[in-house]
Amino acid sequence: MPVLRGAVTFSRFLVEPAEDAPADLKRSLVRALKARAFEPIDRKSEEERASGFVELENSEGTDFSPGSVSYGEYTLFAYRVDTLKVPGPVLRAELNKWAAAFEKEKGRPPGRSEKAEGRASLRQMLRNRAVPGTKVHDLSWNLEARQLQIWAASRTAVEEVMNAVETAFKVKLLPLVPAAMAERNGLAEASLGPTAELLGVELSAEVSHGEA
């Protein structure tokens, strides 16, 4: 929970409403969170990944009551990603054991269809036993200042959360970094370079003159 524990790895964005954005974003925020709330992976399906919004202090919570998302001037919540994948080597090892037991019992190796059925059964067994890998990325949103922070170190993770936020809330996230801000304000990239004072050019010139 980086937002509440002081970690400093985050990306900061200016939030601009899209053309189809709701008139009152604050009132529609909880509804949007619930519409894009996290749902666990269905172990009986083929899906290996699930993602969605959860409460900041409860990665299982998707009620989004006012007390769970409102912290003074900030709206705080999180984006959760679960992955559930059966490793290929583990499945092959189980299938080999199953085939050996089949041949010992039947006196012959399993046929193609029997092996396919055995593989499917073993894969389901391993999915039922597996513990999903979970990653939770915190978000803090100052609605008045129109600034949002995504607390994630991976660029891939930041981009995924960005897309989820833009889709769910019908907004556009603009990076609050010097280059992007300069471009939006019509400043040339060259103007972002260090000044002579920062480089100490004047000081270097004085030293050279004194040595001469």
Side-chain angles (χ1 to χ4, degrees):
M1 210 173 301
V3 169
L4 301 181
R5 294 182 181 172
V8 295
T9 303
F10 62 85
S11 297
R12 193 160 58 102
F13 300 90
L14 177 67
V15 183
E16 293 282 357
E19 292 183 0
D20 55 346
D24 190 338
L25 181 60
K26 188 172 184 179
R27 295 188 64 178
S28 65
L29 191 143
V30 170
R31 184 168 62 252
L33 285 171
K34 289 184 176 181
R36 188 67 176 78
F38 174 82
E39 294 183 4
I41 295 173
D42 181 0
R43 291 178 182 267
K44 294 181 180 179
S45 71
E46 294 296 316
E47 66 184 21
E48 297 182 342
R49 197 174 191 277
S51 60
F53 297 115
V54 294
E55 296 173 5
L56 179 71
E57 296 189 84
N58 178 13
S59 61
E60 303 288 339
T62 54
D63 290 336
F64 303 108
S65 63
S68 70
V69 297
S70 297
Y71 292 75
E73 61 185 2
Y74 288 92
T75 295
L76 305 181
F77 51 99
Y79 186 80
R80 173 175 169 176
V81 179
D82 274 17
T83 54
L84 179 65
K85 189 172 183 178
V86 176
V90 175
L91 180 56
R92 285 193 295 271
E94 291 293 335
L95 187 58
N96 289 337
K97 288 193 293 184
W98 173 86
F102 182 99
E103 185 171 0
K104 183 177 181 180
E105 179 183 350
K106 305 289 187 180
R108 63 175 178 82
R112 180 176 296 180
S113 62
E114 291 168 326
K115 195 168 185 178
E117 290 178 4
R119 186 180 187 281
S121 178
L122 289 168
R123 182 176 180 278
Q124 185 60 56
M125 177 195 71
L126 292 171
R127 275 179 64 89
N128 291 340
R129 292 179 179 176
V131 178
T134 298
K135 291 184 178 180
V136 180
H137 308 293
D138 295 354
L139 292 94
S140 60
W141 190 346
N142 188 321
L143 295 172
E144 297 298 325
R146 295 191 299 128
Q147 291 190 12
L148 180 138
Q149 294 172 336
I150 299 174
W151 301 73
S154 162
R155 180 175 180 178
T156 301
V158 171
E159 290 178 350
E160 179 178 354
V161 179
M162 279 182 62
N163 291 333
V165 169
E166 290 181 333
T167 301
F169 303 103
K170 302 184 187 306
V171 296
K172 182 67 177 176
L173 300 184
L174 307 175
L176 283 174
V177 295
M181 294 171 69
E183 182 178 352
R184 288 197 296 272
N185 287 285
L187 298 178
E189 185 175 352
S191 66
L192 300 179
T195 62
E197 290 81 2
L198 183 61
L199 293 174
V201 172
E202 293 182 351
L203 180 61
S204 299
E206 289 177 3
V207 171
S208 299
H209 177 72
E211 291 177 345

